[in-house]
Amino acid sequence: MNQSPLAALAPIALAELVERAALQCRVDRKYVLAVDEVPHLLDQLGPYARVLDIDGQRAFAYESVYFDTPCLASYHCAAYRRRRRFKVRTRTYLDSAQCWLEVKISGARGLVTKHRLPYLAEDRHTVRSGRGFVDEALVRESIWPDLVTSPLEPVLTTNYRRSTLLLPATASRVTIDTGLSWHDGDRTLRLPGIAVVETKTRSAASLVDRMLWQQGIRPVRISKYATGLAALRLDLPDVPWRRTLRRHFRASPLLVGPASTAPIRSEQEASCA
């Protein structure tokens, strides 16, 4: 992504960003843009947005490791659009080596709640030391009680670079992710030509949402975990993300690795349908 539009935005420090728009309980709207469309959006936002700046840096490397049960309960609950869904991941900020264990709960009316625990970066490929935190969050949110007895293993790793904007007028945030890649064992998917723009608000649409709508760009169904795994494992159900996969993931991706084989559905998996 061309960095000059980011450089033109007023900066904001991390502590102030968190204080003004932590938004751990929020509504997310996601959009897929071509990378070369992002500078125009940033130019439009110049008078209205501030960009996260840490020691002069405005784009940061992220790694997320997603965990799921052996029957992919998290994935299938999303694929079959269960009313309440969950994701468990570690998120590592590679520039600072800071790491968090996160449990995200999607509920009614698109409301997302995120629970976070500081985590050791060297433990980011396992939830073993944080399993009590995960189980407590799932029980508190009344998510499928059998999960507390199911193992959670690393399934998918994503990497990307993120810039974060604050819209002070509405205390909302916007993230812009580029350089996206997904890794599942020896299979890798890279999509250097797209950017995922996500608005995070308390409920009402933000200025960025309205700007994109005016350009005919509508929110899309996309999940870095579920959509990425569906792109890599063609045997998995993909109805919620089929249009996004067809338009953005399967048009000209670089896909490396052997084809996957279809798994046998378990009783636990079927209970998510």
Side-chain angles (χ1 to χ4, degrees):
M1 179 172 59
N2 186 343
Q3 295 300 305
S4 57
L6 278 178
L9 295 177
I12 186 170
L14 178 60
E16 184 181 358
L17 176 68
V18 172
E19 179 183 356
R20 298 182 65 171
L23 295 173
Q24 296 301 97
C25 185
R26 65 191 188 226
V27 173
D28 296 340
R29 299 176 181 88
K30 302 176 185 179
Y31 306 84
V32 177
L33 279 66
V35 167
D36 57 12
E37 294 177 303
V38 174
H40 175 64
L41 175 63
L42 293 173
D43 285 339
Q44 289 181 294
L45 288 174
Y48 312 105
R50 298 171 64 184
V51 61
L52 175 63
D53 185 300
I54 302 176
D55 297 329
Q57 190 171 346
R58 298 188 171 195
F60 306 92
Y62 281 51
E63 178 190 85
S64 296
V65 180
Y66 290 89
F67 300 85
D68 213 333
T69 66
C71 69
L72 301 181
S74 173
Y75 178 89
H76 284 91
C77 287
Y80 293 112
R81 306 300 295 170
R82 278 181 64 96
R83 185 171 176 269
R84 293 178 62 76
R85 304 178 298 279
F86 74 96
K87 280 187 286 192
V88 178
R89 71 185 179 201
T90 57
R91 168 165 286 174
T92 305
Y93 303 89
L94 297 177
D95 300 289
S96 64
Q98 187 180 41
C99 183
W100 297 82
L101 175 62
E102 300 182 339
V103 181
K104 289 185 70 176
I105 308 296
S106 299
R109 297 180 296 278
L111 189 66
V112 175
T113 304
K114 184 161 68 173
H115 305 268
R116 306 182 86 201
L117 176 73
Y119 215 57
L120 293 175
E122 56 264 36
D123 291 340
R124 66 187 184 273
H125 297 288
T126 176
V127 298
R128 193 171 300 114
S129 61
R131 185 60 198 260
F133 166 80
V134 172
D135 292 343
E136 181 183 346
L138 293 174
V139 170
R140 186 188 314 148
E141 297 285 350
S142 302
I143 299 296
W144 191 25
D146 289 348
L147 284 171
V148 298
T149 61
S150 298
L152 290 169
E153 299 296 338
V155 173
L156 188 72
T157 301
T158 65
N159 293 88
Y160 50 94
R161 294 189 65 79
R162 168 169 288 186
S163 298
T164 300
L165 312 181
L166 170 72
L167 303 177
T170 54
S172 57
R173 284 190 285 129
V174 181
T175 58
I176 303 172
D177 298 340
T178 58
L180 292 138
S181 65
W182 291 260
H183 313 280
D184 169 24
D186 57 357
R187 291 166 291 201
T188 298
L189 172 67
R190 297 184 181 91
L191 296 177
I194 70 169
V196 175
V197 176
E198 184 170 351
T199 64
K200 307 168 192 290
T201 70
R202 288 185 174 86
S203 59
S206 71
L207 173 65
V208 171
D209 293 297
R210 294 193 295 271
M211 283 181 172
L212 293 172
W213 297 347
Q214 289 171 1
Q215 298 171 36
I217 301 172
R218 309 301 297 180
V220 299
R221 284 185 175 174
I222 183 171
S223 155
K224 287 192 183 70
Y225 173 54
T227 313
L229 195 62
L232 286 165
R233 301 192 189 182
L234 302 183
D235 55 284
L236 292 175
D238 63 2
V239 171
W241 316 286
R242 191 165 293 167
R243 179 178 296 181
T244 301
L245 287 163
R246 185 171 61 248
R247 292 186 61 185
H248 303 291
F249 280 66
R250 291 173 180 160
S252 57
L254 174 61
L255 183 60
V256 180
S260 57
T261 58
I264 299 173
R265 293 187 71 191
S266 68
E267 291 182 6
Q268 281 184 319
E269 178 188 315
S271 71
C272 276

